[in-house]
Amino acid sequence: MKRLLNGWLLMACAGLAMAHGPHAAHEHGVAELRVAIAGAEVEISFETPLDNLVGFEHEPRNDRQRKALQEALEAVGAFERLFGLPAAAGCAMVDVAVEAPFGSQDHHGHAHGHAGVSAVYTLKCATPAALDVLQVKVFDVFSRTRQIRAERLSPRGQTAVTLRSKQADLPL
Ligand SMILES: [Zn+2]
C-alpha cells in the first residue's frame, strides 16, 4: 500500500510544484486529500489539522474535550462517515491507518502548538471502471473545515482541485 503513495510523491516532486507536502505547516480550516487509483486498488490519504475536527490542538484538558477527540477519531477511522465511493465499483476496505496525537501511537509532532490527524484508507474494488467520483462528506461531519486541497492520480490522469462544502465531490 505504500507503493501507490510513493509513486505519487515521486511524481509530485518531479512534476508539479507542490506548495504543500505531508509535513508542511498546516492551515486551520484546510485539509488535504490524496487519492491514488492503480488497477483494483484505491488508496486515499486524508490529513487535517486537529483544530478542524475539535476546535483545539492541545492535549484534552477535561472530559468534554476528551470525548470530542475520541468521537472525532472514531469518525476519521470510519471511511463511510467521511467519504463515499460508487456502489457499482464494489469497493471493500482492506486497511485503515489513523495517526493521531496524544495517544500511545503519537507519530505526529505537535511542536509549535499544532497537532494534526492523518488517515490512509486502502480499498480494493471489483469494478474499478465504475470509480467516477469520490463523495466527500468531511464538511458535514467537521464543519470547521472550509476547504480541502485534493489531488487525484488515476488512469485518467493527475489533477489537483480545491473542494468546498458546496462543491465537495472529487472527480476520479
Ligand atoms: Zn494548528
Side-chain angles (χ1 to χ4, degrees):
M1 90 177 222
K2 283 279 178 235
R3 196 164 27 97
L4 293 183
L5 278 185
N6 285 347
W8 174 269
L9 290 174
L10 284 175
M11 286 186 68
C13 293
L16 301 175
M18 310 277 269
H20 53 285
H23 303 292
H26 69 219
E27 183 182 340
H28 291 184
V30 179
E32 304 203 6
L33 183 66
R34 290 183 200 86
V35 181
I37 302 173
E41 196 171 332
V42 180
E43 190 169 275
I44 297 171
S45 156
F46 176 61
E47 288 187 42
T48 177
L50 183 59
D51 185 83
N52 291 13
L53 310 187
V54 294
F56 60 86
E57 295 194 341
H58 53 73
E59 204 152 353
R61 292 175 183 147
N62 54 47
D63 285 347
R64 188 179 57 78
Q65 292 182 345
R66 267 184 289 276
K67 185 161 179 278
L69 180 60
Q70 187 194 333
E71 287 177 354
L73 293 180
E74 281 173 13
V76 170
F79 177 79
E80 67 283 358
R81 290 274 306 276
L82 300 187
F83 303 100
L85 285 167
C91 299
M93 188 62 61
V94 175
D95 185 58
V96 181
V98 177
E99 285 191 14
F102 316 130
S104 54
Q105 293 179 310
D106 186 0
H107 301 300
H108 266 248
H110 42 275
H112 314 298
H114 285 288
V117 173
S118 69
V120 178
Y121 314 91
T122 307
L123 301 96
K124 241 187 175 98
C125 304
T127 312
L131 290 168
D132 54 359
V133 68
L134 176 71
Q135 185 192 1
V136 178
K137 301 182 269 190
V138 175
F139 300 102
D140 304 327
V141 178
F142 299 119
S143 60
R144 298 174 68 85
T145 306
R146 294 191 323 272
Q147 57 173 260
I148 298 177
R149 294 174 187 148
E151 296 157 13
R152 173 268 271 162
L153 177 65
S154 80
R156 294 185 178 94
Q158 181 172 356
T159 58
V161 295
T162 299
L163 306 177
R164 293 182 172 76
S165 61
K166 300 245 181 283
Q167 199 176 356
D169 289 344
L170 176 65
L172 298 178

